[in-house]
Amino acid sequence: MLARLWHIFWGGPKGGNLSARDAHARQRGGVLLIDVRSPAEWQAGHAEDALHIPLGDLTRNLDLLPKDGEIIAMCQSGLRSGIAAMILRSRGFERVFNLNGGFMAWYGEGLPIETDGRSRLRRVRGGSMASR
């Protein structure tokens, strides 16, 4: 049981924390980056090609996520995305990473960002918009 809790909270061998640069490299290689920030935070600017699912809507939208692929969770600073990663691991998603430092780290590294005007939006369960 202790090993299971360790895996859920800290990622075990198939998850954990990533730097912004490592997350970007994995994203360019096809890994899904999800942004769990609020719609207002998302609209102000977000990582290019990220999928927006606010944290409060995450459990209602698990079917949008690849159960067998890698997922990187991102928020503003890394706290909410850490919670999102724990939720996903507890729901059977094996390869989930948290972007350490969140959008602030991404932006600070000068990695590609876009504003909501360039996003493709789709409605997700819960009333919010999932964007990609």
Side-chain angles (χ1 to χ4, degrees):
M1 180 163 149
L2 186 56
R4 176 79 176 131
L5 289 174
W6 180 268
H7 172 74
I8 289 171
F9 291 109
W10 291 282
K14 297 180 182 175
N17 291 310
L18 294 174
S19 70
R21 289 218 172 266
D22 289 342
H24 182 246
R26 285 179 185 244
Q27 182 196 32
R28 285 192 348 235
V31 173
L32 177 63
L33 176 63
I34 62 168
D35 188 324
V36 298
R37 297 179 302 154
S38 72
E41 289 171 304
W42 170 264
Q43 290 170 356
H46 52 271
E48 186 177 63
D49 295 325
L51 174 66
H52 183 226
I53 305 176
L55 182 59
D57 295 335
L58 184 61
T59 57
R60 289 186 295 269
N61 292 283
L62 296 177
D63 59 328
L64 296 175
L65 306 175
K67 196 87 165 192
D68 59 347
E70 287 188 7
I71 299 170
I72 302 167
M74 144 191 264
C75 67
Q76 189 69 17
S77 65
L79 180 61
R80 286 174 286 174
S81 54
I83 294 167
M86 285 189 285
I87 290 169
L88 292 173
R89 287 185 201 111
S90 73
R91 298 297 180 100
F93 291 83
E94 293 282 326
R95 297 162 35 195
V96 182
F97 297 88
N98 178 40
L99 196 160
N100 195 29
F103 183 75
M104 292 187 308
W106 186 277
Y107 182 80
E109 289 287 341
L111 298 171
I113 62 170
E114 57 190 10
T115 60
D116 199 42
R118 293 183 48 204
S119 303
R120 291 166 273 144
L121 301 174
R122 66 176 179 259
R123 178 94 31 210
V124 295
R125 290 176 285 287
S128 298
M129 301 299 278
S131 308
R132 182 138 194 212

